[in-house]
Each structure stands twice: as structure tokens, then as C-alpha cells.
């Protein structure tokens, strides 16, 4: 406006660093200030701040009654998770307050509820948090300033339920019109249910192709968005990561020894909201020519707290050891074996060569992400060294003859 004395009216949040806006979670305090810059003296009726968090879903569906008449059904649901209103400036007399020209700051602070829903933007719904300041003046339009902030609820994957292995088996008898007959079966397994963005999912699978044509195994991480309103559901699925294996020929068998699938930077799982959910699954399938694919889905939870190598090892070592035994990848020895003598492992001619070169070249090991060695190291690379003791904790089962005291 031509005679408007408000030069600037913005909301700022504390905690911004390096140009990045702060991120909050349930139970934290949100602090900031409302900046008001005036070109001249102005009368102000009130300055109010409204913090709001809302989960909202909406979609429409076309319905038909069986005749030519069709109608559109609309579904809408709204959930308030934050609703905080505070007055930053109000005259005691109920009239107006005259502010001098210049820059004015009005600080604010409020506490978030202990449990919130992670910020989310989807096609049929969203979870948004914002702080809105409203400036009331006599004989002047209302000025508003709005600031959006992000909330991420922590999802800790270091729990027994999320550290448990996930596995499944599927089979199908193919019978098509061009004589592609036979049984196709596969099994798939992953070492745990919870992961964080950037991690690798080692996939262990066995594919048996009993048909007369090649089949193609594939794997993908699927994000499922579920919107709920008035007893109805609307779901959207999207592929966020995928890999394609090598074709398995007729009558052949293929084994995935930890095929790695990296999780991209995606939002965490949303599991405890009444109007929307965000779930993830690992889909492993086998494409069979001429018939429908063989499909297996293993549930995933994408968290925000990564795996603790020390705190979670004690809770997951048992399940991981059984995971290795089930897939023939070896298990932990029950009793430590004594190291062999040097003469038993090095021949005379090898010892002479070692004497010439004190640092012999080690053989090259296959430590790629495709083999079981990588998965084994991921679990036991932080294993603490054994406690030093002069006594053998596992003595040999030999009969010890008592000494004669008269000798």
C-alpha cells in the first residue's frame, strides 16, 4: 500500500545454522522472534502468534450405481496435532499501542507435545507444521507472516523387533500355452527389519528354475503411502530403489550371497498416525515368461537412529548366528581352538623363503559386497578381544593321574 508504514514483517526461528532451518521433534521447545520494521510511528492493536500442526488427507473417487448415472465421492479427514495460540503484544487498556519507527523484535517460545507425526508431503495428504504471526492495526489491513518448520520423530532401529531376521519362501507351477512348464521356487532372507537411509541391505536368496525358459530375479524397495478417511483407504506405491539379477536358465539354480541394495535418502516410516501411514517393503520377485511373476514381500522399517555396533550386538548376535547357520554361512565355534605350531603350517622350503622376505604377500581375498564375508564382518568387526588369562578356560578332556606323595 502507498501509505503503509510496515516495511518488513517476518517470523524467524532460532537454531538455524549454515543456512539450514532447524528440525524439531516431540517434546522440544520452539523459539524464535517476530521482526517488525516500521518506516514511521504506527498504532498497533494486537500482535498474536499461532503455532499449528495438522495432518490432512483428501481424495475423490468416481462411483457408479450400475446404470449410466455416476457420481463422485469425496473423502477428507483432518487431525490437529499442535494448536498453540499466544498474544505477543496487546495494550492493557484495550485500545492501541503506538510504536516508534524502526526495528522491533518480539521473542516467543512454546513447547511441542511429547509425541508428534513426522512432516510429510504426499499426493493425497500431508503433515505440516507452521508458525503464523498476525498484526492487527486500526484502519489498516491485517498483516500476516508465516514460517514453516520441519518435525522428524525419531525411529530407533535398535530394538529386538527391528533386529529380527525376515524371510519367506514362494513357489509356482508354470503352465502356459507355448509349453513353458515346470516348477519355479525361491527363498529370500535379510538379516534384520530396520534400516536407515544410506545403508546396504544384503539379500540372500535361492532361485530354482524348473521350467523350460529362463527366469529373471529382481528386488526393489517399495514405499507405500496409505491415506485413511471415513473408513476408506487410498494407497500409493512407489519404487525407491531396485536391482536386477542375472537370468536363471532352464533347470538351473542361482544363489544370491548377500546382493547389496542401497537405501536412498527417503523419509522415515510413519506408523502411529490415525489418518496416514508410510510403510516400506522389500519386494523380491521372479519374472516367469508367459505367466504372472512370483512375488515375495518382506516388511521394512526406515528409521532415523542408526544401528549401534556396541549396544545392539548383544541383542542381535544370537539371531545373526542362527541366520548364518540357516544359510550355510558358518557359525561361531563353541570352543576356541589352540593355534597350530609354526612347523605344522609352514614347510621347510616355505620357511626358508620366509626367512628371506619377512613380510610375505598375503593372498587376495574376495571382500566384495556380494559374498557372505561382508555380512559376517558387519556383525563381528566390533567384537571385543578375549579376556587375558593364564588358565585355559576350556582344558582338554584328559585324565590327570594324582601324584604319589611318597615318591
Amino acid at each position: 500500500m502507498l501509505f503503509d508504514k510496515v516495511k518488513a514483517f517476518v517470523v524467524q526461528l532460532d537454531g538455524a545454522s549454515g543456512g539450514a532451518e532447524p528440525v524439531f521433534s516431540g517434546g522440544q521447545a520452539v523459539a524464535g522472534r517476530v521482526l517488525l520494521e516500521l518506516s514511521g510511528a504506527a498504532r498497533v492493536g494486537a500482535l498474536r502468534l499461532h503455532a499449528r500442526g495438522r495432518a490432512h488427507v483428501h481424495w475423490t473417487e468416481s462411483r457408479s450405481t450400475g446404470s449410466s448415472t455416476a457420481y463422485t465421492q469425496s473423502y477428507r479427514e483432518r487431525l490437529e496435532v499442535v494448536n498453540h495460540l499466544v498474544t505477543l503484544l496487546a495494550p492493557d487498556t484495550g485500545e492501541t499501542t503506538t510504536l516508534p519507527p524502526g526495528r522491533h523484535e518480539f521473542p516467543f517460545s512454546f513447547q511441542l507435545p511429547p509425541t508428534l507425526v513426522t512432516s510429510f508431503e504426499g499426493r493425497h495428504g500431508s503433515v505440516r507444521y507452521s508458525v503464523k504471526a498476525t498484526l492487527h492495526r486500526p484502519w489498516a489491513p491485517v498483516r500476516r507472516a508465516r514460517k514453516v518448520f520441519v518435525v522428524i520423530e525419531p525411529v530407533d532401529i535398535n530394538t529386538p523387533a527391528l533386529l529380527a531376521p525376515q524371510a519367506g519362501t514362494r513357489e509356482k507351477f508354470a503352465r502356459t500355452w507355448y509349453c513353458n512348464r515346470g516348477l519355479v521356487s525361491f527363498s529370500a532372507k535379510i538379516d534384520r527389519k530396520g534400516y536407515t537411509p544410506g545403508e546396504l541391505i544384503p539379500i540372500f536368496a535361492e532361485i530354482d528354475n524348473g521350467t523350460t525358459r529362463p527366469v529373471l530375479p529382481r528386488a526393489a524397495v517399495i514405499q507405500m503411502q496409505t491415506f485413511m478417511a471415513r473408513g476408506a483407504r487410498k494407497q500409493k506405491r512407489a519404487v525407491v530403489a531396485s536391482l536386477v539379477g542375472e537370468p536363471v536358465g532352464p533347470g538351473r539354480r542361482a544363489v544370491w550371497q548377500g546382493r547389496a541394495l542401497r537405501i536412498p535418502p527417503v523419509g522415515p516410516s510413519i506408523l502411529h498416525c490415525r489418518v496416514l501411514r508410510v510403510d516400506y517393503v522389500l519386494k523380491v520377485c521372479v519374472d516367469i515368461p508367459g505367466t504372472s511373476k512370483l512375488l515375495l514381500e518382506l516388511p521394512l522399517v526406515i528409521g532415523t537412529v542408526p544401528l549401534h555396533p556396541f549396544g545392539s550386538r548383544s541383542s542381535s548376535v544370537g539371531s545373526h548366528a542362527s541366520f548364518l547357520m540357516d544359510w550355510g554361512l558358518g557359525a561361531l565355534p563353541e570352543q576356541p581352538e589352540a593355534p597350530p605350531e609354526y612347523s605344522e603350517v609352514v614347510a621347510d622350503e616355505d620357511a626358508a623363503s620366509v626367512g628371506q622376505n619377512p613380510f610375505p604377500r598375503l593372498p587376495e581375498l574376495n571382500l566384495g559386497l556380494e559374498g557372505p564375508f561382508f555380512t559376517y564382518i558387519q556383525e563381528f568387526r566390533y567384537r571385543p578381544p578375549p579376556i587375558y588369562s593364564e588358565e585355559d578356560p576350556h582344558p582338554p578332556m584328559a585324565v590327570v593321574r594324582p601324584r604319589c606323595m611318597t615318591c
Side-chain angles (χ1 to χ4, degrees):
M1 295 181 62
L2 183 60
F3 300 103
D4 195 355
K5 299 180 181 180
V6 178
K7 295 177 58 179
F9 184 60
V10 295
V11 178
Q12 293 183 351
L13 297 178
D14 297 341
S17 60
E21 294 294 336
V23 178
F24 303 92
S25 60
Q28 291 185 343
V30 180
R33 57 187 52 85
V34 178
L35 302 181
L36 174 63
E37 186 175 357
L38 301 175
S39 60
R43 293 189 302 166
V44 177
L47 176 60
R48 295 185 175 88
L49 186 80
H50 191 191
R52 172 171 289 182
R54 176 183 297 175
H56 176 260
V57 298
H58 175 245
W59 75 92
T60 57
E61 296 180 0
S62 298
R63 302 284 185 177
S64 177
T65 59
S67 61
S68 59
T69 304
Y71 65 97
T72 300
Q73 181 70 40
S74 179
Y75 297 91
R76 186 187 303 270
E77 193 72 33
R78 182 177 299 174
L79 177 64
E80 293 282 348
V81 292
V82 175
N83 193 359
H84 180 77
L85 181 62
V86 62
T87 301
L88 302 180
L89 176 64
D92 298 335
T93 59
E95 298 296 332
T96 60
T97 299
T98 302
L99 297 179
R103 182 185 178 94
H104 304 272
E105 293 187 3
F106 302 92
F108 64 87
S109 178
F110 61 92
Q111 195 82 13
L112 292 174
T115 303
L116 293 176
V117 184
T118 298
S119 299
F120 171 78
E121 291 291 336
R123 182 175 181 179
H124 302 294
S126 62
V127 181
R128 298 171 182 170
Y129 298 87
S130 64
V131 178
K132 184 175 68 174
T134 306
L135 179 64
H136 299 270
R137 296 171 296 162
W139 304 101
V142 176
R143 293 292 297 266
R144 296 180 177 87
R146 187 169 178 263
K147 184 70 173 181
V148 177
F149 62 93
V150 177
V151 170
I152 297 181
E153 277 298 279
V155 179
D156 191 356
I157 68 172
N158 298 278
T159 59
L162 300 185
L163 294 177
Q166 306 294 312
T169 303
R170 293 290 186 273
E171 63 179 15
K172 183 176 183 179
F173 190 82
R175 183 182 299 159
T176 58
W177 60 274
Y178 52 88
C179 299
N180 182 25
R181 297 172 178 267
L183 181 66
V184 179
S185 63
F186 80 95
S187 302
K189 193 170 187 178
I190 55 178
D191 58 349
R192 50 190 163 96
K193 183 178 181 180
Y195 291 88
T196 53
E199 281 193 287
L200 295 174
I201 304 178
I203 306 173
F204 298 84
E206 297 180 358
I207 304 99
D208 290 308
N209 181 16
T211 65
T212 57
R213 300 198 60 182
V215 297
L216 183 64
R218 296 185 293 114
V221 176
I222 309 296
Q223 183 193 69
M224 298 184 301
Q225 303 175 7
T226 306
F227 308 93
M228 296 163 282
R230 298 171 51 189
R233 292 179 174 235
K234 184 74 171 180
Q235 191 174 83
K236 300 293 293 184
R237 297 168 67 97
V239 178
V240 298
S242 64
L243 66 86
V244 180
E246 294 77 17
V248 182
R252 303 296 297 272
R253 181 173 182 264
V255 178
W256 284 5
Q257 293 285 2
R259 288 293 298 266
L261 179 60
R262 184 179 297 275
I263 301 177
V266 295
S269 301
I270 300 178
L271 307 175
H272 306 290
C273 183
R274 183 168 55 86
V275 298
L276 63 87
R277 286 177 59 94
V278 177
D279 299 279
Y280 293 89
V281 296
L282 174 65
K283 184 178 73 172
V284 184
C285 65
V286 178
D287 293 336
I288 306 174
T291 184
S292 60
K293 64 185 66 175
L294 198 57
L295 177 63
L296 173 65
E297 291 187 350
L298 303 178
L300 293 176
V301 172
I302 303 301
T304 59
V305 181
L307 185 67
H308 299 324
F310 292 98
S312 63
R313 195 187 70 84
S314 59
S315 61
S316 62
V317 63
S319 61
H320 193 82
S322 62
F323 173 80
L324 296 175
M325 292 177 60
D326 294 342
W327 286 82
L329 303 179
L332 298 178
E334 296 182 359
Q335 295 184 1
E337 299 180 358
E341 296 293 337
Y342 183 79
S343 59
E344 297 178 3
V345 295
V346 179
D348 296 338
E349 57 273 13
D350 295 335
S353 62
V354 171
Q356 299 176 1
N357 184 10
F359 300 99
R361 184 176 180 182
L362 298 177
E364 295 183 359
L365 300 177
N366 183 16
L367 300 181
L369 300 182
E370 299 291 335
F373 204 3
F374 175 77
T375 307
Y376 193 86
I377 288 178
Q378 287 295 98
E379 180 65 36
F380 298 102
R381 60 178 177 175
Y382 298 107
R383 189 177 184 181
I387 300 176
Y388 177 78
S389 175
E390 295 289 345
E391 299 180 0
D392 188 359
H394 302 282
M397 301 300 294
V399 179
V400 179
R401 297 181 178 178
R403 295 182 59 185
C404 180
M405 301 301 296
T406 60
C407 295

